[in-house]
Amino acid sequence: MGGGPVAAPPVRNEEKEAMKTGKAAVMVGFNKPFEIRNYPVPESLEPGAVLVKMVMAGICGTDVHTWLGHTGGKVLQFPVILGHENVGEIVETGGEVKDWNGVVLKKGDRITWPTTIGTYCYQCFNCTVAGIPNKCLQRKTYGAGISSEQPPHFFGGWAEYCYLYPRTSLFRLPDGLPPEALVASGCAAPTMVHASEKADIHVGDTVVIQGSGAVGLFGAIVARENGAGKVIVVGGPKERLELARRWGADSTIDISELKDPRDRIQRVKEESLSAYGADVVFECSGIPAAFAEGVQYARDGGRYVVVGQFMDAGPSESFHPFWITFKELTVKGSYSWEPKHTGRAVALIDRVKEKYPLKDIVTHRYPLEQTTEALQSVRDWKTIKAVLVP
Ligand SMILES: [Zn+2]
Ligand SMILES: [Zn+2]
């Protein structure tokens, strides 16, 4: 379903002049340069829908994977508009629309939203029997999930506008919350809010986080704000570990300095508040071998939440399941998040925006025309956080 934008019906001259268009950076294929396309801006909204002008959109690791074609078998209907770490300013609403917290939204309000179009079905097996609506079997998503050739076109954040269907979970940003602070932590924030609920962190716990990407870094904040007695981040490189310490970690372990996992396990035990190891471990690195190592960080009866293995990166060859039984470990997976976690993340970020220098990590800003360069720099680890400013 390639080709150019859908041909508009013939219009009279004055109508043609009145028709407003907006730019979008569209992904036309895996590994291909992004193209700028113009689409008509929707003029009348269905009841409950919202049209926003994009203020800022983050570039997430998942976007890079999608661009490179690591989609885990998911078929994309090209062209698509990516961008799911979004802040937009309301241009128009289809009648009265309230945000998640019941606030009536008005023109000029800044909002963010999770990737689910509308809401979960609350009828499928996962929504009801399994009780994990974040894995709703009927879920449809903005961004990569829908072709931008289909009206109303603006389905992702890497564009001048975004069209939000009725019943999408919308969150009004508190006044004075800079968009950078929200986009900087992007989907890492609700991901870790969700994971922390699974970990059941108690006041005074030693919490170890494996990985210092966006998810691991925000994990340090979440652990700290949940009352952890000690927060240890294991990862690298040096600049990211410095950031981890500014974001709530008490200590960091650099994997390029302590290269042998046995030394890192020893160090975690020395650094933990109890000599027996950590109460809670989060796997946020996505590296399969990290799992066997993380099991050894945990004390007997500890909790291990595996968050980072979002893509199938192959098997872990060195793992002995014996340790789960022997240590009586609780091991849980945590996948994505629900809208309630976005709401909690927004509230948390607003409260701690001065305490941790969140917005300072936005190191690179690009216009839509430089989307390809932006993706390349994220792919090549040249940025801490890159954003598109349409
Ligand atoms: Zn993401
Ligand atoms: Zn469902």
Side-chain angles (χ1 to χ4, degrees):
M1 291 212 275
V6 172
V11 286
R12 296 197 310 273
N13 268 345
E14 57 270 34
E15 274 176 355
K16 204 182 237 169
E17 275 160 25
M19 190 192 282
K20 218 172 135 192
T21 63
K23 275 186 296 186
V26 301
M27 178 173 150
V28 294
F30 297 125
N31 254 314
K32 292 191 177 150
F34 283 75
E35 287 177 12
I36 295 292
R37 290 193 186 171
N38 283 283
Y39 293 115
V41 178
E43 281 174 1
S44 62
L45 305 191
E46 60 198 297
V50 172
L51 180 71
V52 295
K53 193 157 181 19
M54 286 302 301
V55 173
M56 189 174 284
I59 296 171
C60 165
T62 309
D63 295 319
V64 178
H65 282 295
T66 303
W67 182 50
L68 296 175
H70 311 151
T71 60
K74 200 168 106 183
V75 178
L76 268 62
Q77 301 292 323
F78 293 118
V80 293
I81 304 172
L82 302 184
H84 58 271
E85 299 177 332
N86 298 326
V87 172
E89 193 171 293
I90 295 178
V91 176
E92 204 184 333
T93 63
E96 183 182 277
V97 179
K98 289 179 180 171
D99 89 339
W100 176 269
N101 293 309
V103 178
V104 176
L105 294 170
K106 50 187 194 313
K107 279 182 196 176
D109 280 348
R110 288 187 165 186
I111 58 170
T112 189
W113 56 95
T115 52
T116 303
I117 293 178
T119 183
Y120 303 125
C121 77
Y122 296 112
Q123 289 182 329
C124 73
F125 184 89
N126 281 355
C127 279
T128 55
V129 178
I132 43 172
N134 50 312
K135 293 212 53 138
C136 172
L137 299 169
Q138 308 293 333
R139 180 173 177 251
K140 292 192 174 61
T141 58
Y142 291 106
I146 184 163
S147 164
S148 60
E149 291 303 282
Q150 181 184 321
H153 310 289
F154 293 98
F155 298 123
W158 297 357
E160 285 187 300
Y161 294 90
C162 194
Y163 185 89
L164 301 167
Y165 281 100
R167 303 187 71 203
T168 297
S169 306
L170 309 171
F171 297 87
R172 185 184 177 280
L173 267 52
D175 297 329
L177 176 60
E180 288 88 349
L182 200 79
V183 174
S185 42
C187 47
T191 296
M192 280 314 296
V193 169
H194 180 204
S196 72
E197 290 179 2
K198 299 228 166 175
D200 191 21
I201 298 169
H202 299 164
V203 170
D205 274 350
T206 294
V207 177
V208 180
I209 294 155
Q210 298 173 275
S212 49
V215 174
L217 289 172
F218 201 81
I221 292 180
V222 168
R224 178 95 290 151
E225 295 300 317
N226 267 292
K230 183 130 192 197
V231 180
I232 304 166
V233 173
V234 184
K238 204 153 53 69
E239 308 78 62
R240 281 180 177 265
L241 296 179
E242 268 168 38
L243 197 57
R245 290 193 293 274
R246 291 166 73 200
W247 281 24
D250 297 293
S251 67
T252 53
I253 297 173
D254 189 333
I255 56 169
S256 68
E257 283 169 15
L258 278 187
K259 290 200 172 72
D260 189 330
R262 286 170 300 187
D263 294 336
R264 298 196 288 261
I265 292 162
Q266 180 61 30
R267 178 70 67 83
V268 164
K269 295 216 163 131
E270 287 163 12
E271 297 256 348
S272 294
L273 294 178
S274 109
Y276 302 112
D279 303 287
V280 172
V281 181
F282 290 104
E283 200 305 292
C284 303
S285 76
I287 297 164
F291 182 79
E293 189 174 330
V295 163
Q296 297 304 332
Y297 293 167
R299 64 163 167 82
D300 285 359
R303 284 97 69 201
Y304 191 15
V305 181
V306 182
V307 196
Q309 307 287 335
F310 198 73
M311 300 278 167
D312 185 352
S316 165
E317 281 156 22
S318 56
F319 182 62
H320 295 256
F322 153 77
W323 287 106
I324 294 180
T325 307
F326 182 69
K327 283 175 164 270
E328 286 213 11
L329 275 194
T330 300
V331 178
K332 289 185 180 179
S334 186
Y335 180 86
S336 189
W337 67 90
E338 292 177 51
K340 66 182 177 188
H341 302 118
T342 302
R344 288 170 194 167
V346 171
L348 172 63
I349 290 165
D350 188 45
R351 187 169 62 75
V352 302
K353 62 183 184 287
E354 305 295 340
K355 188 171 170 186
Y356 308 108
L358 283 165
K359 65 180 168 54
D360 297 352
I361 72 155
V362 175
T363 51
H364 293 69
R365 291 159 188 267
Y366 297 90
L368 289 176
E369 288 77 5
Q370 289 178 19
T371 301
T372 309
E373 290 87 329
L375 267 278
Q376 285 164 343
S377 59
V378 176
R379 179 197 62 193
D380 299 340
W381 294 91
K382 288 180 180 156
T383 65
I384 290 193
K385 185 71 189 184
V387 299
L388 293 176
V389 184

